Amino acid sequence: MSQYYNYDQIERKWQERWAEQSVFSVSTEAERPKYYVLEMLPYPSGALHLGHVRNYSLGDSVARFKRLQGYNVLHPIGWDAFGLPAENAAIKNQIPAEKWTLDNIERMKVQCKRLGFSYDWDREIATCLPDYYHWNQWFFLKMFEKGLAYKKIGLVNWCPSCQTVLANEQVVDGRCWRDDSEVIQKELEQWYFRITDYAEQLLSGLDSLEDWPEKVKTMQRNWIGKSTGARIRFQVESDEDSSIEIFTTRVDTIYGATFMVLAPEHPLVKKWSNDPEYGPALSTFAAEMQREGTLKRTSEEAEKKGVFTGRYAINPFNQERIPVWVANFVLMEYGTGAIMAVPAHDERDHEFALKYGIPIRTVIQPVAQGEEGVVETTEGEAFTDYGVLVNSGQFSGLTSEEAQQQMCDLAEKKGFGEAAVTFRLKDWGVSRQRYWGTPIPIIYCPECGTVPVPEQDLPVLLPRLEALQLGGSPLAEVSEFVNVECPRCGGPGRRETDTMDTFVDSSWYFYRYTDPRNEKLPFEPENARYWFPVDIYIGGVEHAVLHLIYMRFFARVMRDLGLTTLDEPVNALFTQGMVLKGGAKMSKSLGNVVSPDEIVQEYGADALRLFIQFCAPPDGDLDWSDQGLEGCHRFLNRFWRLIQSYKTTSDLNGRPDSSQLSEPGRPLLRKLHQTIAKVTEDLERFHQNTAIAAIMELLNAVYSCIDKGEPDLHVMREVLSTMTLLLSPFAPHIAEEAWERLGHEGGLATAEWPRFDPELAREEKVEIVVQVNGRIRSRFMAPPSISREEMERVARADERVEANLRGRTVRKVIVIPGKLVNIVAS
């Protein structure tokens, strides 16, 4: 009898059988409890990497576990298939982006199937196909109707390398999220989604997400950035048509404003650039700032630089005339692009004032030093805390909090300001000047203006381009795409040639999984009501702001369109760690990439899946280890030898009678039920690594039991059958084969997750630790039901404990039932 584990033969056998029998295909079943397991859909870059394998193995273990528990499990997969990598590859290799993308999808799909992920392939989607992006366009039109999609001229984040606009969320520390090149500001006409209309909802909704990582919620709160303060308008002197509006959270410091600062991109800077005296310097400075980019301008180490505009503004509170400057540290995309500068109470303003010799006036003093008096200095540090107002007219002597309320009331009464709330979150710029994306369904007509494409004319198909060049919108060069009749007047029109940000694709894809072939709607609302919310969503923390805020925004838009009733689409979010090698992130440039295909060929899919879930906590980084992989492979072979040795137990019927058991069967059955409890609890908590460790301990216990004497065959059948079920979420192919060889019919799809018996799991004796003053002095075995009093009596009677207590007085005895006795003595 061969005991060789032929993983390749076994894995391919079961993958074919799963496909033939559509084992993982599901439908809506109102009478059954559902469970929706979702991993973030992959970009078809060419091949799965180990980060993918880890993500999808974790999700698959949950899906298989929940199926065995009786849930109707939706576990779908698709492809985030539009975007720059495909377009850049098409340019580099002179091949169509569509071919590059679809070829990669096919290769990665083969890999997924070879790894045995239990996806419902009938629900597969690819966002680059018309039957999907049709609905991107539909959502755009619905948002356009509601005023949530609009176009405006404004400053945008421009990536010179990618040759396209980026949303604020796609700029990380002043650099492009895709290629890390420095981003500049550029004035363009762009389409936006009015995500700011939902800012308050997006912020308050975070409180309901109890099963999301706190770090993700904190990142979102910081990005949304709610600030409470005041809007104040400063009239520009000798220019009735110009005023400068600022937002401040510290209106209590306004009497200390000794100058104002505009962002180089502020409209007034452009207006004043025509001034013969100050205009040339303003134009030169604005151009320099555009070249520098936001990262360099706003870093703490950057030198504060500015230019005087030659203009003055009037402080509406005290009518003081204060100079207006332009400086590098003010950005147009934050607030109003203008600030009142209070150098005594803001560190940046203080540094700038010292450099350019601008007065510094103290208007807030610590509460302990609240006597009124003039304190003017050009030295020292800015005092940025709340305190008591000085040098502030009628408000002097008030606390900062009191003054803020009274100042806002006065500003509103006088008509030059009001209390206000602002958000750091800006509207989502969705226009992209590239080819491989969803065409924006808008037509421009000389007579009718901006005209939405009629719904019946969707989808607006992306034309196939054989060759692409970088620079300029590729669609603008396709005359048959651009030139079109106006749907209103029938006259000549021009299509929009920008495409949508590909984060639009991934903002709602998991709804499409519930109804992927619907041709009348993005999805049937009834299907979404059954499957939603997503029960567990697994992906990288790098999407904490980019994808997850957009996803939550789309959920609310769909709610307001009547497609869903949910505010939040995801109940629990899990962010897995990275896969490292030698402590460094795997990358081609470092030459430390490990190929999943090669591992599967040498060790099998089950060994890879088992190792990648066992060797580190799922939310921690995993450092690749060939030795660890080999250890998991040996474990599977040891399990296989047991199955081969005891497969004749398939003829046995019934379960072991626990009352008739003797050594070594009784402790083995106890260990089995303890393992059932441990693995079940760990999978519920998403602790796959410790669940697998428990199964490995059980296997060792089986071999130890055999070494002590042949256990009852009924016990061995019970142990091996149950161990097979426990192992199946992690190593499904070998588990299916073992289940069949043990004589079970119908495959694991018809099996049930084992239940542990508390009585069988209960230890006959437990080990009690005895400490004296916190140091272990002895141990003893006792029944689990031993009383506190008996624990203390046995502990104090121990010879080693008596020796340690000799000459001392016992002050206190701490007893933890069934575990510990700690005697405190002096």
Side-chain angles (χ1 to χ4, degrees), residues 367-534:
V367 173
Q369 303 170 20
E371 301 87 358
E372 181 153 356
V374 177
V375 182
E376 294 188 16
T377 179
T378 58
E379 297 178 351
E381 297 180 352
F383 176 70
T384 59
D385 293 338
Y386 278 13
V388 174
L389 273 65
V390 296
N391 304 317
S392 298
Q394 70 190 73
F395 303 101
S396 294
L398 297 178
T399 65
S400 292
E401 295 87 348
E402 292 168 339
Q404 287 178 342
Q405 181 61 54
Q406 293 187 28
M407 286 176 165
C408 286
D409 291 344
L410 179 64
E412 188 165 359
K413 180 179 178 181
K414 297 287 187 180
F416 59 77
E418 58 277 323
V421 173
T422 67
F423 294 89
R424 180 177 183 263
L425 181 70
K426 301 300 178 185
D427 281 342
W428 175 10
V430 296
S431 291
R432 297 294 178 267
Q433 293 66 45
R434 298 298 294 257
Y435 161 68
W436 193 233
T438 300
I440 293 175
I442 291 292
I443 294 169
Y444 302 104
C445 173
E447 299 297 325
C448 306
T450 300
V451 182
V453 172
E455 280 187 38
Q456 64 269 22
D457 292 343
L458 298 181
V460 176
L461 295 173
L462 188 67
R464 183 183 175 91
L465 298 184
E466 298 295 329
L468 294 169
Q469 299 297 326
L470 188 61
S473 178
L475 291 180
E477 306 301 318
V478 184
S479 59
E480 59 270 28
F481 175 82
V482 174
N483 300 318
V484 64
E485 279 189 2
C486 171
R488 284 186 184 163
C489 69
R494 177 180 62 83
R495 284 197 191 279
E496 172 62 72
T497 57
D498 284 352
T499 55
M500 292 186 205
D501 180 8
T502 54
F503 277 97
V504 173
D505 307 338
S506 58
S507 292
W508 69 279
Y509 72 99
F510 37 91
Y511 291 89
R512 185 67 175 174
Y513 284 145
T514 69
D515 197 8
R517 306 297 167 245
N518 196 322
E519 296 180 356
K520 296 180 179 180
L521 286 170
F523 53 89
E524 176 57 48
E526 197 62 35
N527 287 345
R529 271 192 287 276
Y530 175 72
W531 289 112
F532 270 79
V534 173

Side-chain angles (χ1 to χ4, degrees), residues 31 39 141 581 588 721:
E31 70 282 1
E39 301 102 44
L141 294 180
K581 189 172 184 185
K588 292 180 182 178
S721 294

Side-chain angles (χ1 to χ4, degrees), residues 614-643:
F614 166 65
C615 64
D619 57 351
D621 291 341
L622 180 161
D623 210 344
W624 184 260
S625 164
D626 292 338
Q627 292 80 10
L629 176 64
E630 290 166 0
C632 286
H633 184 64
R634 286 195 300 272
F635 164 78
L636 291 177
N637 273 288
R638 292 182 74 214
F639 171 74
W640 182 249
R641 287 195 295 273
L642 277 179
I643 297 300

Side-chain angles (χ1 to χ4, degrees), residues 24-41:
F24 308 121
S25 295
V26 293
S27 58
T28 300
E29 298 180 43
E31 70 282 1
R32 286 184 66 194
K34 66 88 186 178
Y35 199 90
Y36 190 169
V37 182
L38 182 68
E39 301 102 44
M40 293 183 183
L41 80 175

Side-chain angles (χ1 to χ4, degrees), residues 76 90 120 152 173 236 285 297 299 317 509 528 590 711 791 818:
D120 182 350
K152 71 172 183 178
D173 294 330
V236 176
F285 184 75
R297 283 169 52 183
S299 69
F317 277 91
Y509 72 99
L590 294 176
M791 285 176 64

